[in-house]
């Protein structure tokens, strides 16, 4: 490992004046995360100088205030208790020095944002004010009296009459790194948004606000906006916060910070992350942080070379394109080294314009060079999967070697362009005794199978593969367990052939479980294992349960002749729809032409012989599921 002795000594000398300081704030940001209902979690992450900070300034709670953005009217004050106190980590812990240490203090509390209070279309902002910053900051005026305002904007929780849920984007946690003068420093401030909103980053002037050194170690009640910014030192600005041959900047899309500083010292800087939904800005959060720029020992970048396997030919980035063919060599040999003694090197890959299938290293990817007993150059082998297929496109892959230099690793990158073609592997074939699937989506559209209540239904499935690869059949219920519903599926799997049997004897319990969902859907899948496997083959069946007898028409008699001759003497309805589990015959009522009920029965096998007088009568038969059958019958004595 590169020696740190001279660097540690330099840091101790540079940071010695800070020991007498009673200031403490390094930076921080506010965060608002949705939980459920109207509940959100409001947090403040405050970064505290663990070496020079005044212990009396380590607050056990801080006050956050929420304001209406359009009017600056205060809505509520929230006391945030200290819930976490941890150290900020270095990218490379071996680069840590005793005079540079930062704590992350988290203050958090659940709050309620109800739709009656937080409906202003202009949105809201949260603020926390605290003094003071580190006294040795180099790029602002009067750092000993400079405070910080932690600031966050969020939208109304209702929009167009509907709930509008938003959480603050989570930008990556800061690290305890320092920058070396004249060397490129980089750090990823880019974040993720749980709501899928678009994020944009820019550099902003840190906010000072209303707090001051006169307040001392007391955290004041936040005032409403506007908040005064800090005052930059001469020639510096939001666009030039840390001077350098390339000043501190941030990629607006990725959030990657870069700077090649030319001046030594301690520099504060501000970053804003704004979130957009459907092209409209809905919120923002700001982070202040600081960066030490030091003189560091010389650290030369590592180097790497790439060769196609078993070839002495050197791959030429930007000129060569690898062509990976079936049966051919699909590996690369990578040689990497470093001019510095005792360097620990690590290889990695980064796909540029594709995701899978990614190549893998088949050898070790790290080691030490130019140490006693260590080689000058390391070798690694990288192989592309046999199934890699770029479909005629050129894919790009970065091969990266990094050292263990301080404060951050140095890299060398070779971008490899390649095309790949996989060998032929025909998809397996799935056949079954189920009815044919409906067109046009033969492979995926559900097929309806009607199974009679109480009768056993069986079906067989067969999978075959011309390549004799291993096959497996499986059945999965959509939102239910097959066994719990009384369904059975067994399979005999093997090389090139798989057989399965499905069986079901539906009961009224199944009918009750189906309810109004119009069937039980089962997915039958045939999967293949082996090299370059195709997608699974699938049949989807929707099972519906029908009664034992399902009549197409109900036609009761409309004339009876109750004259005792044994012919058509009674009104009967043997053709009424059959009972179906809990959907049963409830009863029948017969009425005179004037609406007077003259007969009623709850028996399906009822019979009615008239009222002794001829005429026209009306009937109403009902079922427990709400079905009704009504009509008329004429009585002829």
């Amino acid at each position: 490992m590169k020696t740190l002795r001279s660097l540690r000594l330099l840091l101790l000398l540079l940071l010695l004046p800070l020991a007498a300081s009673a200031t403490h704030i390094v930076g921080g940001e506010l965060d608002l995360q949705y939980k459920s209902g109207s509940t959100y979690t409001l947090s403040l992450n405050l970064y505290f100088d663990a070496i020079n900070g005044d212990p009396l300034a380590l607050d056990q709670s801080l006050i956050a205030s929420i304001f209406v953005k359009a009017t600056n009217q205060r809505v509520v004050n929230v006391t945030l208790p200290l819930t976490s106190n941890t150290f900020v980590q270095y990218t490379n812990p071996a680069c840590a020095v005793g005079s540079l240490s930062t704590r992350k203090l988290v203050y958090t509390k659940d709050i309620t944002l109800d739709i009656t209070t937080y409906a202003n279309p202009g949105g809201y902002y949260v603020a926390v004010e605290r003094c003071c910053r580190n006294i040795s900051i180099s790029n602002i005026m009067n750092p000993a009296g400079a405070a910080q305002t932690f600031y966050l904007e969020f939208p109304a929780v209702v929009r167009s009459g509907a709930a509008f849920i938003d959480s603050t984007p989570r930008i990556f946690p800061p690290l305890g790194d320092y920058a070396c003068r004249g060397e490129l420093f980089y750090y990823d401030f880019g974040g993720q948004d749980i709501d899928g909103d678009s994020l944009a980053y820019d550099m902003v002037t840190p906010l000072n606000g209303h707090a001051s050194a006169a307040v001392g170690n007391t955290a004041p009640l936040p005032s409403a906006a506007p908040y005064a910014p800090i005052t930059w030192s001469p020639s510096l600005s939001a666009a030039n916060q840390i001077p350098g041959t390339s000043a501190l900047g941030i990629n607006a899309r990725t959030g990657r910070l870069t700077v090649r500083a030319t001046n030594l010292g301690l520099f504060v800087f501000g970053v804003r992350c704004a979130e957009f939904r459907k092209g409209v800005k809905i919120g923002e959060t700001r982070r202040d942080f600081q960066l030490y720029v030091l003189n560091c020992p010389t650290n030369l970048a590592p180097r790497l070379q790439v060769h196609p396997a078993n070839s002495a030919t050197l791959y030429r980035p930007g000129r060569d394109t690898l062509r990976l063919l079936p049966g051919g060599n699909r590996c690369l040999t990578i040689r990497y080294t470093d001019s510095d003694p005792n360097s620990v090197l690590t290889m990695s890959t980064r796909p540029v314009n594709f995701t899978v299938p990614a190549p893998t290293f088949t050898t070790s990817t790290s080691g030490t060079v130019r140490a006693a007993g260590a080689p000058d150059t390391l070798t690694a082998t990288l192989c592309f999967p046999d199934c890699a297929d770029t479909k005629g496109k050129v894919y790009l892959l970065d091969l990266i070697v990094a050292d263990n230099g301080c404060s951050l690793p140095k890299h060398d990158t070779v971008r490899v362009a390649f095309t790949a073609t996989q060998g032929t592997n025909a998809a397996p074939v799935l056949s079954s005794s189920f009815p044919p699937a409906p067109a046009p989506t033969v492979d995926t559209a559900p097929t309806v199978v009607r199974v009679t209540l109480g009768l056993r239904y069986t079906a067989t499935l067969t999978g075959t593969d011309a390549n004799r690869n291993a096959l497996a059949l499986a059945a999965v219920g959509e939102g239910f367990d097959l066994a719990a519903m009384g369904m059975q599926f067994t399979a005999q799997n093997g090389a090139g052939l798989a057989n399965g049997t499905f069986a079901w004897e539906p009961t009224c319990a199944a009918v009750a479980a189906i309810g109004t969902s119009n069937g039980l859907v089962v997915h039958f899948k045939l999967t293949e294992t082996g090299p370059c496997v195709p997608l699974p083959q699938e049949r989807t069946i929707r099972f519906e349960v029908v009664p034992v007898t399902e009549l197409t028409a109900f036609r009761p008699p409309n004339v009876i002749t109750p004259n005792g001759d044994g012919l058509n003497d009674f009104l009967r309805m043997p053709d009424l729809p059959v009972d179906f589990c809990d959907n049963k015959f409830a009863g029948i009522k017969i009425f005179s032409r004037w609406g007077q009920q003259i007969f009623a029965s709850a028996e399906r096998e009822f019979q009615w012989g008239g009222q002794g007088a001829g005429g026209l009568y009306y009937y109403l038969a009902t079922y427990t599921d709400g079905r009704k059958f009504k009509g008329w019958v004429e009585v002829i004595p």
Side-chain angles (χ1 to χ4, degrees):
M1 192 188 78
K2 302 175 188 296
T3 179
L4 296 176
R5 183 172 301 171
S6 58
L7 179 59
R8 294 178 191 274
L9 179 60
L10 178 62
L11 280 170
L12 288 171
L13 293 174
L14 177 65
L15 301 178
L16 185 61
L18 294 176
S21 172
T23 54
H24 63 284
I25 294 179
V26 171
E29 72 273 346
L30 283 162
D31 177 78
L32 185 66
Q33 296 295 315
Y34 174 74
K35 290 188 69 176
S36 63
S38 299
T39 303
Y40 288 71
T41 300
L42 177 63
S43 300
L44 168 66
N45 301 322
L46 188 150
Y47 304 106
F48 186 91
D49 188 335
I51 301 298
N52 307 291
D54 184 350
L56 296 178
L58 201 161
D59 304 291
Q60 294 305 305
S61 65
L62 287 169
I63 300 176
S65 295
I66 302 178
F67 301 89
V68 180
K69 190 177 178 185
T71 63
N72 290 324
Q73 177 184 359
R74 189 186 305 271
V75 180
V76 68
N77 299 320
V78 180
T79 299
L80 303 176
L82 178 64
T83 57
S84 176
N85 185 343
T86 59
F87 283 97
V88 175
Q89 300 300 312
Y90 285 76
T91 297
N92 182 1
C95 294
V97 293
S99 299
L100 181 58
S101 180
T102 304
R103 287 186 177 274
K104 179 181 179 180
L105 309 178
V106 180
Y107 299 84
T108 186
K109 186 176 184 179
D110 287 350
I111 62 174
T112 300
L113 302 182
D114 60 88
I115 60 174
T116 58
T117 304
Y118 294 91
N120 190 294
Y124 301 82
Y125 64 90
V126 187
V128 175
E129 298 194 65
R130 189 68 171 92
C131 192
C132 292
R133 301 178 187 266
N134 278 329
I135 194 171
S136 294
I137 295 175
S138 308
N139 57 340
I140 65 175
M141 304 298 291
N142 186 28
Q148 176 171 349
T149 297
F150 305 87
Y151 183 83
L152 176 148
E153 294 180 3
F154 67 92
V157 298
V158 61
R159 182 170 292 185
S160 301
F164 191 82
I165 296 172
D166 177 58
S167 294
T168 305
R170 290 282 179 87
I171 51 181
F172 281 90
L175 300 182
D177 299 326
Y178 47 86
C180 297
R181 182 166 64 172
E183 300 286 350
L184 179 66
F185 176 85
Y186 53 88
Y187 181 67
D188 191 359
F189 260 31
Q192 297 177 341
D193 189 86
I194 194 173
D195 307 306
D197 298 322
S198 299
L199 306 181
Y201 306 88
D202 64 339
M203 306 300 302
V204 291
T205 297
L207 298 176
N208 187 96
H210 307 89
S212 67
V215 178
N217 288 329
T218 302
L221 181 69
S223 299
Y227 302 106
I230 55 90
T231 302
W232 294 109
S233 297
S235 76
L236 299 184
S237 65
N240 185 30
Q241 302 187 28
I242 301 179
T245 53
S246 58
L248 180 67
I250 193 167
N251 185 293
R253 183 177 61 87
T254 65
R256 183 177 174 87
L257 279 168
T258 56
V259 64
R260 194 180 298 272
T262 54
N263 297 359
L264 299 175
L266 175 63
F267 300 89
V268 68
F269 62 90
V271 171
R272 175 170 52 193
C273 175
E275 56 178 333
F276 295 80
R277 188 172 300 180
K278 296 182 179 180
V280 178
K281 181 181 176 182
I282 60 173
E284 71 173 52
T285 186
R286 290 173 172 239
R287 170 183 283 175
D288 286 8
F289 209 65
Q290 61 188 32
L291 179 67
Y292 282 108
V293 178
L294 312 172
N295 280 323
C296 302
T298 301
N299 175 25
L300 300 175
R303 304 183 305 279
L304 65 85
Q305 293 181 336
V306 179
H307 299 263
N310 304 321
S311 172
T313 303
L314 181 67
Y315 177 82
R316 299 170 299 177
R319 300 175 61 183
D320 295 340
T321 299
L322 298 176
R323 304 192 183 279
L324 309 176
L325 302 175
N329 197 314
R330 301 170 79 92
C331 297
L332 300 176
T333 298
I334 304 167
R335 304 184 188 280
Y336 52 109
T337 187
D338 195 317
S339 299
D340 296 323
N342 303 308
S343 291
V344 177
L345 305 180
T346 302
M347 283 295 310
S348 63
T349 62
R350 182 177 59 212
V352 177
N353 61 344
F354 70 99
T355 53
V356 293
T360 56
F361 287 99
T362 61
T363 59
S364 174
T365 57
S366 63
T368 302
V369 296
R370 303 189 186 279
D376 292 342
T377 302
L378 300 173
T379 302
T381 300
L382 180 75
C383 295
F384 293 83
D386 291 336
C387 299
D389 191 341
T390 64
K391 308 296 183 183
K393 298 180 180 180
V394 177
Y395 282 0
L396 303 176
L397 176 71
D398 284 345
L399 307 181
I400 306 165
V401 60
D403 66 13
N404 63 327
C406 295
S407 69
L408 295 176
K410 286 196 173 180
H411 304 85
D412 187 24
T413 302
V414 170
R415 177 162 291 179
V416 174
F418 69 96
T419 62
T421 305
Q422 72 174 31
T424 302
N425 179 19
V429 177
L430 175 61
S431 59
S432 72
S433 62
F434 290 123
T441 54
V442 175
D443 294 330
T444 59
T447 299
V448 177
V449 174
R450 292 180 172 86
V451 184
T452 302
L453 179 70
L455 296 183
R456 185 176 179 82
Y457 175 87
T458 61
T460 58
L461 300 97
T462 302
T464 57
D465 183 62
N467 304 108
R468 300 291 298 171
N469 290 322
L471 298 179
L473 276 167
V476 179
E478 189 174 288
F480 71 96
D481 179 73
L482 267 65
M485 202 57 64
M487 295 179 174
Q488 300 172 345
F489 182 76
T490 57
Q492 296 79 43
N493 302 317
L497 179 66
N499 293 296
T501 301
F502 172 83
W504 187 35
E505 184 175 323
T507 64
C508 286
V511 175
I514 292 174
T516 59
S517 64
N518 197 26
L520 296 171
V521 176
V522 180
H523 300 275
F524 297 91
K525 291 186 179 182
L526 174 66
T527 56
E528 175 185 330
T529 57
C532 308
V533 295
L535 293 174
Q537 306 299 301
E538 182 173 333
R539 279 298 307 274
T540 302
I541 307 296
R542 186 174 73 242
F543 293 98
E544 298 178 357
V545 183
V546 296
V548 175
T549 302
E550 190 173 30
L551 299 178
T552 58
F554 166 51
R555 296 178 180 177
N558 56 14
V559 174
I560 62 172
T561 57
N563 53 15
D565 63 359
L567 299 174
N568 204 27
D569 288 332
F570 297 97
L571 173 66
R572 301 184 181 93
M573 295 184 181
D575 294 338
L576 276 167
V578 298
D579 291 345
F580 186 43
C581 296
D582 289 336
N583 300 328
K584 300 178 180 179
F585 176 77
I588 187 169
K589 296 178 181 179
I590 298 177
F591 303 88
S592 70
R593 62 192 305 176
W594 297 280
Q596 180 184 4
Q597 179 179 317
I598 59 175
F599 177 79
S601 176
E603 299 296 328
R604 173 183 286 277
E605 304 301 326
F606 75 92
Q607 61 180 22
W608 179 64
Q611 284 298 103
L616 200 64
Y617 296 86
Y618 299 90
Y619 63 82
L620 174 64
T622 59
Y623 279 72
T624 57
D625 62 352
R627 287 180 296 167
K628 296 179 180 179
F629 300 90
K630 58 185 178 179
W632 57 270
V633 62
E634 184 177 3
V635 178
I636 302 176

